[in-house]
Amino acid sequence: MNPFLYFDAQSQLETAPASDPDMANLDDRFHIVWQYDNPASGDSKIVWKKIVPSVEFDIEYTPYQAYIADGTNPSISAYDDHVVVVYMDEGLVKCTFSGDDGETWSTSVIASGLYPDVEVVDDIFYCAFISDGNLFLVRSKDGGATWAAPMIVNDVVGSVVALENSVEVHRGG
């Protein structure tokens, strides 16, 4: 195998400066997302890459990469061929999802909110985010296409401070 077959070094996709990375590990591959802030335009994009170690050696050697959304603060989770990325875009928590391991992507809107995080347990995706001083939790049973109504999960209404990366969904609850 030619180790330079897929070498990118930003020749295929500009990805730096990069911030707010997240990763979803599967048995034979992993998916990575991060925020790319375009210095020329000032726009922020969500960058996705899939790394299959049996095909390429590292993150720069992947044929699987794309801008999948405009926005900030991405979080990713995956199982089987289902990949869900949640992120912020103009005051909304949105979801970009794939049911074919990143070959195609669709988008859904979850709710108004900030700083989302996503985790999958069995085949259900859970997303938590902050809105109006509260921590909300929503779930998707169809790979991110639709989301249940948000539920407040904090004990004291209005007591949650919205800070970047302050939300973390854990598989244990």
Side-chain angles (χ1 to χ4, degrees):
M1 173 183 208
N2 179 350
F4 297 103
L5 182 63
Y6 301 117
F7 188 68
D8 178 9
Q10 298 196 86
S11 63
Q12 303 297 314
L13 192 72
E14 289 188 37
T15 60
S19 62
D20 212 358
D22 199 17
M23 179 186 305
N25 293 309
L26 299 170
D27 290 337
D28 61 345
R29 66 201 180 284
F30 55 97
H31 297 267
I32 305 170
V33 293
W34 64 86
Q35 175 180 323
Y36 162 61
D37 295 319
N38 185 326
S41 69
D43 295 338
S44 296
K45 296 193 177 295
I46 307 301
V47 176
W48 161 84
K49 289 192 178 193
K50 177 174 68 174
I51 309 302
V52 182
S54 64
V55 174
E56 69 279 332
F57 298 101
D58 69 25
I59 195 169
E60 288 297 333
Y61 295 91
T62 183
Y64 317 108
Q65 59 184 335
Y67 299 128
I68 58 171
D70 292 330
T72 62
N73 303 95
S75 177
I76 190 170
S77 192
Y79 80 94
D80 295 337
D81 286 343
H82 297 278
V83 184
V84 166
V85 177
V86 296
Y87 59 97
M88 295 177 0
D89 182 25
E90 298 183 4
L92 295 174
V93 174
K94 292 184 177 180
C95 169
T96 296
F97 60 96
S98 175
D100 55 13
D101 206 33
E103 291 294 318
T104 61
W105 295 90
S106 299
T107 301
S108 60
V109 175
I110 297 174
S112 294
L114 302 169
Y115 309 121
D117 190 52
V118 67
E119 183 63 64
V120 64
V121 178
D122 298 323
D123 61 352
I124 300 173
F125 287 93
Y126 294 89
C127 173
F129 60 92
I130 299 169
S131 183
D132 296 325
N134 295 298
L135 182 63
F136 287 87
L137 182 68
V138 295
R139 71 172 184 249
S140 175
K141 294 183 176 182
D142 58 8
T146 61
W147 295 84
M151 301 179 314
I152 294 177
V153 294
N154 49 296
D155 292 332
V156 179
V157 174
S159 63
V160 176
V161 177
L163 295 173
E164 188 172 10
N165 296 319
S166 61
V167 177
E168 177 85 24
V169 180
H170 188 276
R171 293 181 60 83

